Each structure stands twice: as structure tokens, then as C-alpha cells.
Amino acid sequence: MLPTLPLEKILHSQGFGTRRECRALIRDEAVSVNGEPCDDPTAVFATANLEFTVYDEPWPYREKTYIVFNKPAHFECSHKPIHHPSIFGLLPPPLVLRGVQCVGRLDEDTTGLLLLSDDGQFIHRMSSPKWKVPKTYLVTAKHPVSDELIRRLKEGVLLHDESEPIVALACERVSEYQLTLMLAEGKYHQVKRMVAAAGNRVEQLQRIRIGNLALDTDLAEGEWRWLDPAEIGSPEAKQVQNNHQNPPIGP
Ligand code: URA
């Protein structure tokens, strides 16, 4: 059951700053709860289905945050990027402040489906090799996709520093230069290294699926949406067309 909490604590838990900063926001009349302005930081609310606004921007209460992000190229999945800006700069500050982390990273030049969460157990379960959550990639190759390439990826390729060949769970030619590749592991540069070991080269890489969760066709690169609880951990979880607008953040 979700708790009943003072407004100041609610805002703090949702990433709106220190307790003191949240108190100031509330006293400045920047906050409404369930449609009613509230300038009392000690006012108590049930958090179940709670909707609040900060500077008129709507924000649903979430005990834990799970989001789907369509990663653009030329962003790094790190809080301390080296060569390119961080994807965390593309997310609303409250999500970053409450500590969302990437569930497995994508390379700087890889686009597509990235999950982020502040639920440590969920992150561990989704990224642990033990659970083998399959990830599917759309690969655009430098050279035409041959039957031999598909065969080698399916039969397994030996990567440098690995003792056993790694096999694709599935691999299909999509067009002359494109294939889909489903993998059980998430090793460093795995797709690029496997395709290279099988005699071709990755020109573009997009992650299109994690488990049964497909990248939404209506989520543009750089956009995110809340992950519906029904989509989390459920084997039946399917792509949910979700018309959520990204909640903009107040000043
Ligand atoms: N494999 C890669 O080579 N790069 C990624 O970003 C993800 C998987």
C-alpha cells in the first residue's frame, strides 16, 4: 500500500530538491495537489493516484520510476560523459535528481530502446546475466547481408577474451543491408564485435526490443514515456501505445 505523506516529503521523494527547496516551492504557491492549490508543506496526502502540479506542470506521484527512452545517437549513457553530452541532460531534472539509472548502457552511436529506473532490484533483474533478458537489435551493415553471415551468427562466433562462442538467439535478414539480431547477453560492444567476427561491419545500430517490450513507433528519438506497471516484469508485457506527453518541468 502506498503511504500517506506530508506534501514537502512527497515533492522531495519525487525529485524536486532538498526538503528545504520543496518547502520553499510549496510556500511560493507553486504547487497544486489533485487540482487544488496547496501552500502548506505539512498538509498530508494519500500518495495512491496522487497528481500534483509544479508551476502548472502535471506530475504523477510514482513510488518508483520506470521509463522508456528512445536514445538518439551522439549521447552517452553516463552521468560523467567524456566525448558527447549525457542522455541525462535530455530527461526532466526531477527524474535525474531522484536517481534514475540506465538499465544496461547503449554505445554513444547506438539509438533506440533504453530503460531507466530508480528501482535497484528491477535494474539488477533486467541486467543480470542470470535472467538472460533477450535484447533485439536492428543492424545496418556495411556489406550486403549474406546467408553465410546469418549462419555464422546463429551458430556462434568466438569473441576475443571469451572462452565460448556466443550464439544469437535469433537472426534474420531484413533487407540487403539490414538484419535483426536477438541476444541473451549484454557484453561490451557485443553486436559490433559479433558482426565483425562473422565477416561484416555494423554501420548503424538500433535496439528495438527488450524482452517483450518493443520500442514504441510513436516515440521520437530523445523522447521518453512512463513505463506502465503492467509492462514491467510481465512475460505478457507488450508494446503499449501510450499517448503520454512528456511532463514538462517548471522553472
Ligand atoms: N552491442 C553493441 O555493439 N553496442 C550497443 O550499444 C549495444 C549492443
Side-chain angles (χ1 to χ4, degrees):
M1 215 175 88
L2 289 178
T4 294
L5 295 172
L7 186 54
E8 173 188 320
K9 217 169 172 179
I10 291 174
L11 255 60
H12 175 62
S13 73
Q14 303 298 290
F16 284 84
T18 61
R19 294 281 289 267
R20 191 194 185 123
E21 286 165 342
C22 292
R23 205 153 50 234
L25 270 178
I26 299 163
R27 292 229 169 92
D28 283 352
E29 302 179 0
V31 182
S32 288
V33 182
N34 297 332
E36 296 291 326
C38 180
D39 62 3
D40 178 3
T42 66
V44 166
F45 295 93
T47 52
N49 301 319
L50 182 105
E51 296 263 355
F52 60 93
T53 61
V54 178
Y55 293 115
D56 295 328
E57 304 302 348
W59 203 261
Y61 176 87
R62 306 255 166 174
E63 192 170 33
K64 294 283 180 205
T65 299
Y66 309 91
I67 67 169
V68 176
F69 179 63
N70 187 355
K71 180 191 172 295
H74 313 309
F75 283 84
E76 293 182 28
C77 292
S78 165
H79 285 285
K80 292 185 181 160
I82 299 172
H83 298 296
H84 298 273
S86 166
I87 58 138
F88 291 100
L90 300 173
L91 299 174
L95 288 184
V96 181
L97 255 187
R98 64 179 290 177
V100 295
Q101 304 293 334
C102 298
V103 182
R105 294 182 177 194
L106 291 175
D107 294 340
E108 162 275 315
D109 54 353
T110 302
T111 61
L113 180 55
L114 184 66
L115 299 179
L116 294 109
S117 178
D118 57 359
D119 178 344
Q121 274 190 348
F122 172 74
I123 295 174
H124 177 72
R125 182 158 55 84
M126 294 298 289
S127 34
S128 160
K130 198 175 111 192
W131 289 86
K132 293 194 187 327
V133 178
K135 286 135 200 127
T136 307
Y137 297 87
L138 176 65
V139 177
T140 305
K142 182 174 169 74
H143 310 291
V145 174
S146 61
D147 291 344
E148 170 71 3
L149 176 71
I150 302 288
R151 187 187 60 74
R152 291 185 69 183
L153 290 167
K154 279 182 171 168
E155 284 181 359
V157 289
L158 188 61
L159 300 181
H160 187 62
D161 283 348
E162 297 291 333
S163 52
E164 302 279 324
I166 302 186
V167 292
L169 294 179
C171 182
E172 279 173 34
R173 188 175 184 275
V174 176
S175 65
E176 190 179 0
Y177 286 92
Q178 286 193 314
L179 65 126
T180 54
L181 187 62
M182 188 198 279
L183 301 175
E185 312 83 354
K187 294 180 190 296
Y188 181 67
H189 290 337
Q190 186 170 341
V191 175
K192 291 172 186 164
R193 289 160 69 214
M194 285 180 71
V195 171
N200 203 321
R201 187 193 154 105
V202 173
E203 287 284 286
Q204 277 178 27
L205 188 57
Q206 182 190 30
R207 184 154 67 193
I208 55 174
R209 187 175 278 270
I210 298 176
N212 288 316
L213 184 75
L215 179 63
D216 304 40
T217 49
D218 59 354
L219 196 66
E221 283 186 11
E223 284 188 351
W224 66 277
R225 69 168 176 85
W226 301 108
L227 188 60
D228 202 88
E231 297 172 89
I232 301 166
S234 150
E236 265 66 66
K238 293 245 163 50
Q239 173 181 341
V240 171
Q241 293 299 334
N242 186 316
N243 297 325
H244 254 298
Q245 294 297 311
N246 298 351
I249 317 300

